[in-house]
Amino acid sequence: MFGKMRKVYGGFFRAGAQGAMAYRLNFMGFFIGESLYCFVMYFMWKAVFMASGESTFMGFTLVDMTMYVFLSNIVGFFTGTDSTRALAEEIRDGNIIMRMIKPVNVDLSLLANEVGNNVVYFAFIFAPVMLGVEIYRYCALGYVAFDIVSFLIFILSMILSYILSFYLNLIFGYLAFWLMNIWGFDILKGSIIKFFSGAMIPLAFFPGIVRDIFELLPFASMVYKPTMIYMGKISGVNILVALGEQIIWILVFYGIAKLLWHFAQKRLAVQGG
Amino acid sequence: MSSNNMIEVKNVSKEFKKIIKEPGLKGSVKSLFHKKQEIVKAVDDISFTVEKGEILGFIGPNGAGKSTAIKMLTGILTPTSGDIMINGQVPYKNRKKYVKEIGVVFGQRTQLWWDLPLTETFTVLKEIYQIEDAAFKNRMDFLNQVLELEPFIKSPVRTLSLGQRMRADIAASMIHNPKVLFLDEPTIGLDVVVKDNIRKAITEINQNEKTTIILTTHDISDIELLCKRIVMIDKGKKVYDGALDKMKEKYGKMREIHINLKSIEDMNKLAFTEKFNLLEDDLEVKLEGKKATIKFNSSKAQVSDMLSYILATITVKDIAVSEADIEEIIRRLYKG
Ligand SMILES: Nc1ncnc2c1ncn2[C@@H]1O[C@H](COP(=O)(O)OP(=O)(O)OP(=O)(O)O)[C@@H](O)[C@H]1O
Ligand SMILES: [Mg+2]
């Protein structure tokens, strides 16, 4: 069953990977942009720490903060999929029918495309950035703080985050069946995720009840939790809780996406000859 | 369901809701609050059956509802009402299972992977349809030979010309030995040679494997060369269903006389309408320089009578008679 799936969707995966390779230059641009953003954030937080005169801020040292900036960014980068735009475009121009005439699930075939895409990015960007982060940490602390167990759990959490993010994006993409232009919604979704996922500000910095609520929302599972796991700020049984929450949110969004697809198929109006 | 019918379509309709937007910004704002909707009946109560191994030509003017019908037959769209049964299945019910045994080409789109070399596209399809190695190899050899894919099989799909891409798309639709093929304008925009290739592939598949095929086209030669039977639809409704020959018989009474005139003024001496008592629809006269074409209904005026009348009235350099082609017949049908 699993082998069969791998075979059937392997093609979509390879197509995604080849597509990414064909447009390699794109991600160089992307990479430079993201790096610049990280350094801007780093200098901003540094200024905040200097101004406050304290060595820790809400439990974060400057070293923590620097790690957080780079880690959350790379997590956000990998788990943020392009599926909303890709799907909405296929719905709008009608190319989604080319998926529908093949014996595959539309969502899984799209996921396979996206994963294929991301694997290429992963190879080119993830490893160097992680290495950079660890070298920085070693220089700052004077000892190797890398923990293989945290790292593996972090990878698992990131994969869950990816699936969660994929289905959330899919839901927004399906909106294109009802609204021919989802541009505004896509921007709104982007801002919400950026803010509530902890990609901009660690959720730990928010006051009491606000922070508790934010941490319960699905967005926290997308960036904040994997990052905090890697940094060792979520530990012990709380790791299981965090992973459990991610899985619950995946199920919720998966269910909603399936439901929307079911309705959409009934009233599907494919555009164009 | 008669055992011989591969496709049964019963009273199928498809309605689209169209949102009417008033022009301008004011209209856009207004449409946010209350939408005016109009219902378009793209397919209107159509019924027909197709036997196993038959090639059916599906024709009609632009916007007639051909593509919409194909989308319902391929399980992409759900009919608003009516029943479809193909290969013993209801297309839109269990889409994934149903599409395993059909092949589809939408001439205006591609089902190939844009960034993959063509060979890899076929490997991907092999996996998707779970085709055995030996069967796949045979199939590729056959398609390669009929559609001449070899010269560009290593190129990424995005670099193919329209004709190459279309051949590849046709091959992709046939790779898994489908029982039914749906071809929506498979020859659109192609030159004669490529059209010929594609027709050959369609014919061979049909003959070798008894594949049932529905094909839409605006190219009448496709119909003449491939289909014995046609279904014509117009404004969503079926207007003709039957043998191509019968249609020719029924509507094909038009003949053309081509004259090379000595002098253009001579044309004024000819009064066909009065002489043969013709109605407006029975006659059409075209004049291009000194070349005149007289198209007329031969059941109202005998060809021989027409000829003798012309030759008796004027002097001509040259005169020839021809049968109106099927294109002309269809044009008249569309009009009526
Ligand atoms: N998604 C849609 N929403 C609204 N109307 C639609 C939609 N798709 C098709 N239509 C309408 O349905 C009618 C039939 O369209 P269809 O594409 O089936 O025609 P066709 O016979 O394939 O034409 P052509 O020969 O130009 O390809 C047209 O009037 C078209 O405007
Ligand atoms: Mg069409």
Side-chain angles (χ1 to χ4, degrees):
Chain A
M1 151 94 193
F2 219 74
K4 192 181 128 193
M5 282 251 300
R6 193 185 51 91
K7 267 195 150 178
V8 169
Y9 293 99
F12 289 92
F13 170 86
R14 282 214 307 280
Q18 294 260 4
M21 286 306 282
Y23 306 104
R24 282 188 286 278
L25 234 60
N26 267 4
F27 63 72
M28 277 319 293
F30 226 60
F31 183 55
I32 293 169
E34 295 283 320
S35 311
L36 274 177
Y37 176 82
C38 284
F39 280 105
V40 169
M41 290 301 278
Y42 164 73
F43 284 115
M44 192 200 82
W45 284 113
K46 197 171 170 184
V48 170
F49 272 86
M50 304 278 264
S52 75
E54 314 253 341
S55 65
T56 63
F57 183 74
M58 312 292 281
F60 276 60
T61 62
L62 182 57
V63 175
D64 285 340
M65 200 55 232
T66 310
M67 299 244 324
Y68 188 89
V69 164
F70 282 90
L71 283 171
S72 67
N73 216 263
I74 196 128
V75 172
F77 179 69
F78 279 111
T79 58
T81 79
D82 207 15
S83 46
T84 295
R85 206 196 38 72
L87 183 63
E89 203 167 294
E90 285 194 13
I91 292 171
R92 215 174 41 78
D93 65 20
N95 276 333
I96 191 166
I97 67 181
M98 296 335 262
R99 285 181 199 279
M100 294 180 69
I101 60 171
K102 297 188 177 109
V104 296
N105 281 333
V106 169
D107 56 346
L108 291 183
S109 70
L110 206 70
L111 180 62
N113 274 154
E114 295 275 326
V115 171
N117 229 295
N118 258 14
V119 160
V120 174
Y121 285 79
F122 205 80
F124 278 77
I125 297 176
F126 186 74
V129 171
M130 292 310 282
L131 195 66
V133 166
E134 277 309 323
I135 289 173
Y136 166 81
R137 183 152 73 165
Y138 172 73
C139 294
L141 299 178
Y143 61 92
V144 179
F146 178 77
D147 172 30
I148 183 74
V149 177
S150 296
F151 180 76
L152 292 178
I153 299 173
F154 165 69
I155 296 287
L156 173 66
S157 176
M158 224 166 98
I159 292 170
L160 292 176
S161 158
Y162 184 77
I163 299 171
L164 166 58
S165 153
F166 175 78
Y167 278 102
L168 177 72
N169 276 287
L170 209 61
I171 289 169
F172 274 87
Y174 284 151
L175 289 182
F177 280 117
W178 288 270
L179 312 158
M180 264 307 141
N181 198 334
I182 61 146
W183 182 77
F185 277 92
D186 199 28
I187 301 273
L188 180 67
K189 180 207 71 192
S191 316
I192 288 176
I193 291 177
K194 192 112 197 157
F195 185 76
F196 288 101
S197 68
M200 258 155 76
I201 305 166
L203 298 183
F205 289 8
F206 289 97
I209 178 94
V210 176
R211 165 183 154 179
D212 292 343
I213 293 172
F214 282 8
E215 287 199 12
L216 274 179
L217 294 177
F219 311 106
S221 286
M222 293 168 71
V223 173
Y224 183 65
K225 299 216 165 133
T227 307
M228 294 298 267
I229 286 174
Y230 186 82
M231 291 174 63
K233 290 195 181 288
I234 296 179
S235 53
V237 71
N238 285 332
I239 291 179
L240 289 181
V241 174
L243 295 178
E245 275 179 74
Q246 287 188 304
I247 291 170
I248 289 171
W249 283 119
I250 287 174
L251 293 176
V252 168
F253 286 122
Y254 176 79
I256 296 173
K258 279 280 168 205
L259 212 63
L260 277 181
W261 173 247
H262 178 75
F263 285 122
Q265 219 179 351
K266 280 228 169 103
R267 52 154 297 154
L268 180 66
V270 177
Q271 308 294 305
Chain B
M1 174 160 178
S2 128
S3 61
N4 234 2
N5 282 343
M6 194 59 161
I7 300 177
E8 295 202 336
V9 176
K10 240 183 254 148
N11 306 105
V12 165
S13 297
K14 179 72 190 179
E15 293 172 356
F16 289 115
K17 286 200 191 86
K18 257 196 183 144
I19 293 162
I20 314 287
K21 203 191 77 151
E22 285 169 39
L25 183 63
K26 207 176 132 205
S28 301
V29 174
K30 244 174 138 180
S31 72
L32 278 179
F33 299 102
H34 59 118
K35 289 177 181 168
K36 262 199 214 160
Q37 287 187 335
E38 185 190 62
I39 298 216
V40 184
K41 266 208 162 170
V43 171
D44 191 356
D45 196 22
I46 283 186
S47 306
F48 62 89
T49 59
V50 187
E51 280 180 17
K52 185 170 173 10
E54 202 179 350
I55 304 185
L56 177 75
F58 213 58
I59 57 175
N62 288 127
K66 302 179 296 294
S67 295
T68 307
I70 298 277
K71 282 173 195 162
M72 287 191 283
L73 298 179
T74 48
I76 295 162
L77 291 178
T78 311
T80 311
S81 62
D83 298 304
I84 304 175
M85 183 69 86
I86 298 175
N87 191 23
Q89 300 179 53
V90 179
Y92 52 90
K93 278 269 165 66
N94 189 346
R95 181 186 59 82
K96 260 169 68 183
K97 178 158 174 280
Y98 169 70
V99 297
K100 268 189 191 150
E101 296 188 326
I102 65 165
V104 188
V105 171
F106 287 100
Q108 324 205 16
R109 308 174 187 282
T110 180
Q111 59 170 309
L112 310 169
W113 279 264
W114 207 238
D115 295 309
L116 290 188
L118 193 52
T119 36
E120 281 202 44
T121 293
F122 288 118
T123 321
V124 170
L125 289 172
K126 172 181 182 289
E127 283 162 11
I128 289 179
Y129 291 106
Q130 292 164 31
I131 308 169
E132 302 286 321
D133 289 344
F136 179 72
K137 199 184 161 301
N138 276 341
R139 196 59 164 187
M140 274 322 291
D141 287 346
F142 163 73
L143 292 169
N144 237 327
Q145 173 225 319
V146 188
L147 291 164
E148 292 168 23
L149 306 172
E150 204 56 59
F152 49 88
I153 199 140
K154 298 246 157 58
S155 321
V157 170
R158 69 187 129 82
T159 65
L160 301 187
S161 78
L162 176 65
Q164 293 169 335
R165 201 221 77 208
M166 197 75 93
R167 275 184 276 167
D169 252 305
I170 299 269
S173 77
M174 296 174 169
I175 191 88
H176 54 295
N177 282 38
K179 289 195 179 144
V180 192
L181 260 181
F182 298 92
L183 308 172
D184 192 6
E185 306 201 34
T187 56
I188 188 169
L190 305 179
D191 71 29
V192 190
V193 181
V194 176
K195 274 184 183 173
D196 218 55
N197 266 328
I198 287 178
R199 287 173 192 148
K200 223 164 52 193
I202 295 173
T203 314
E204 291 209 15
I205 287 275
N206 171 254
Q207 282 172 356
N208 297 349
E209 285 152 34
K210 289 259 162 294
T211 312
T212 311
I213 300 172
I214 292 194
L215 151 102
T216 84
T217 183
H218 288 289
D219 181 339
I220 297 310
S221 338
D222 286 345
I223 300 282
E224 288 198 275
L225 292 169
L226 295 170
C227 315
K228 287 206 180 63
R229 184 174 145 227
I230 54 170
V231 163
M232 185 184 299
I233 59 171
D234 188 16
K235 302 195 185 75
K237 289 200 164 67
K238 189 170 90 171
V239 293
Y240 182 83
D241 180 347
L244 187 61
D245 300 341
K246 284 258 171 57
M247 183 164 100
K248 272 189 180 168
E249 237 169 70
K250 195 166 165 195
Y251 302 96
K253 299 271 162 63
M254 298 302 280
R255 293 288 183 279
E256 285 178 356
I257 296 180
H258 309 270
I259 314 175
N260 230 335
L261 297 165
K262 268 232 163 82
S263 132
I264 300 176
E265 276 77 55
D266 280 349
M267 275 312 278
N268 300 328
K269 297 184 192 153
L270 296 165
F272 299 112
T273 333
E274 291 79 27
K275 172 86 181 164
F276 296 101
N277 230 334
L278 298 175
L279 300 174
E280 196 196 329
D281 242 16
D282 296 330
L283 180 78
E284 194 184 315
V285 178
K286 260 194 293 192
L287 192 61
E288 264 174 60
K290 288 195 170 172
K291 282 200 177 123
T293 307
I294 299 144
K295 207 176 282 177
F296 65 99
N297 187 339
S298 64
S299 59
K300 293 280 183 68
Q302 293 285 314
V303 177
S304 53
D305 293 347
M306 280 293 266
L307 283 175
S308 30
Y309 171 64
I310 294 167
L311 293 172
T313 317
I314 60 173
T315 35
V316 302
K317 269 195 192 154
D318 187 21
I319 190 161
V321 186
S322 71
E323 194 177 325
D325 52 9
I326 184 97
E327 214 157 329
E328 172 61 22
I329 299 167
I330 284 164
R331 200 171 62 81
R332 290 172 65 82
L333 262 180
Y334 284 178
K335 269 202 328 204

